[in-house]
Amino acid sequence: MGQSDYTCVFWLLMLLGFLGGGDASGKRWLETEKQRPVFGETEKNIEVMVGQNARLPCIVHHINDRAVTWLRRRDLHILTTGHHTYSADDRFQVVAESGGSSWSLLVRSAQPRDSGVYECQVNTDPKMSRPVTLTVQTEISTDPAIPFSVTKSKVFVANRTAVTRDGHLRVEIQGPSEVNIEEGSKLSLNCVVTSTLGAAAVVYWFHDSRLLDYGGPRGGVKLKIDQERGITAARLEVENVGMDDGGMYSCVPAGSHPASIRVHVHMGKQEAAIQQIGVNDTSSIKSSSSSSSSSSSSLFEFPGSKML
């Protein structure tokens, strides 16, 4: 064996020692480089309609002992870390596959204020980050996949009930077809959706052709769902009603024609003829405070049912 052969054997033994037990840190370094966390390909732009659930995807391969964190970029608020949620808003939740690489952020009943950029981060050094942009649509979509539409004309007959052709879904706005309310009062409308195919998860309210937000400074839409009976109640509330709040109001679950009523707003200090849910056409409410208490005990509740 020549000198060059001894030299090769020497360096080979040194390398084997380096990778074996002679220098464990070197082996760990090679393994770390080989198994370093890496993001998988996912959608970076998510669009949903207001009230729908939004799922922001994040896939991390070779996560090992690292942690995945979801951050809202607008205010740098940490929403989740690992399997734990750090937000007072319980609509945010991480959905992780057991032992898998998928770490999605679930936003239940998405609202326009939820729109913005979110970051999926991994606590590597340096830190890994992937942005996902959420857009919550508040206008009527022209996408033919959306299974309903509302006419833009303000002149159509109020019909407070609607039923699909197959009879599986029925929509009803409780109370009279014409509602009179005094300016400055509170408007409260209840819509009940009954389906033999399971309770509707999302119900939309429109003022004329404008989609109303689920949450807003003057009220919004509140849902109660009875899964056992296939009933969804959607209450619309509008505080401090103005003259511009008059017009046609429509309740529209996906897959159905709208049920509609007309609201008339009156000026002056005369007693309001505000007709709330469960009140007859000839009845009147004499103050906004009484209408508020009346609506709180309306048919929005389902006795003897589990509410979700």
Side-chain angles (χ1 to χ4, degrees):
M1 183 178 295
Q3 182 66 31
S4 59
D5 295 330
Y6 282 111
T7 302
C8 292
V9 171
F10 172 79
W11 286 112
L12 179 60
L13 291 175
M14 289 292 291
L15 180 61
L16 291 175
F18 179 78
L19 296 178
D23 192 342
S25 62
K27 182 178 181 180
R28 288 196 301 269
W29 179 83
L30 289 178
E31 290 177 347
T32 301
E33 286 300 304
K34 184 178 180 180
Q35 299 296 323
R36 182 178 178 83
V38 60
F39 286 117
E41 289 297 323
T42 56
E43 290 289 335
K44 295 184 179 180
N45 295 283
I46 303 298
E47 292 187 8
V48 297
M49 290 295 294
V50 61
Q52 292 182 331
N53 292 343
R55 189 171 181 136
L56 281 56
C58 182
I59 293 179
V60 184
H61 299 295
H62 314 308
I63 190 170
N64 299 322
D65 59 348
R66 304 294 183 179
V68 174
T69 296
W70 275 100
L71 177 82
R72 184 168 55 207
R73 184 179 290 181
R74 180 181 71 241
D75 52 6
L76 301 181
H77 180 60
I78 294 177
L79 301 171
T80 66
T81 297
H83 295 275
H84 303 286
T85 301
Y86 293 93
S87 173
D89 191 339
D90 59 7
R91 295 180 305 119
F92 293 93
Q93 177 187 351
V94 66
V95 179
E97 295 179 0
S98 179
S101 57
S102 178
W103 297 81
S104 300
L105 178 67
L106 177 64
V107 185
R108 292 190 178 88
S109 186
Q111 302 298 307
R113 66 178 182 273
D114 296 322
S115 296
V117 180
Y118 296 77
E119 289 188 9
C120 176
Q121 300 181 350
V122 183
N123 62 338
T124 53
D125 187 15
K127 178 180 62 181
M128 296 170 53
S129 178
R130 166 160 290 194
V132 180
T133 301
L134 172 63
T135 303
V136 182
Q137 300 284 357
T138 58
E139 299 297 330
I140 302 174
S141 174
T142 58
D143 187 339
I146 301 299
F148 66 86
S149 63
V150 174
T151 177
K152 292 187 177 181
S153 170
K154 294 185 179 181
V155 183
F156 59 93
V157 179
N159 185 2
R160 65 184 187 88
T161 62
V163 182
T164 57
R165 286 186 177 181
D166 57 15
H168 289 304
L169 191 148
R170 185 177 188 273
V171 189
E172 178 184 3
I173 300 177
Q174 296 178 325
S177 297
E178 301 280 332
V179 172
N180 295 283
I181 186 171
E182 188 179 47
E183 186 179 16
S185 299
K186 175 182 176 180
L187 176 66
S188 181
L189 303 174
N190 275 358
C191 176
V192 176
V193 180
T194 306
S195 174
T196 61
L197 303 178
V202 178
V203 178
Y204 302 98
W205 273 99
F206 289 84
H207 177 208
D208 293 329
S209 62
R210 181 171 63 89
L211 180 63
L212 300 177
D213 191 357
Y214 262 57
R218 295 197 298 147
V221 179
K222 299 178 181 178
L223 291 182
K224 280 186 177 293
I225 301 176
D226 184 336
Q227 294 285 6
E228 294 182 359
R229 292 194 288 169
I231 299 176
T232 301
R235 174 162 40 186
L236 171 67
E237 294 182 348
V238 182
E239 299 277 0
N240 192 24
V241 170
M243 299 304 295
D244 292 340
D245 293 315
M248 195 71 71
Y249 285 80
S250 303
C251 175
V252 191
S256 171
H257 297 294
S260 305
I261 65 168
R262 186 177 294 279
V263 173
H264 303 278
V265 181
H266 301 284
M267 298 178 63
K269 296 183 179 180
Q270 72 270 26
E271 292 182 349
I274 176 173
Q275 297 166 321
Q276 297 289 4
I277 287 60
V279 181
N280 294 328
D281 291 321
T282 57
S283 301
S284 63
I285 304 299
K286 294 187 177 181
S287 68
S288 60
S289 60
S290 63
S291 69
S292 176
S293 61
S294 173
S295 65
S296 65
S297 59
S298 67
L299 297 179
F300 193 60
E301 299 293 340
F302 300 131
S305 300
K306 294 182 179 179
M307 305 309 299
L308 301 179

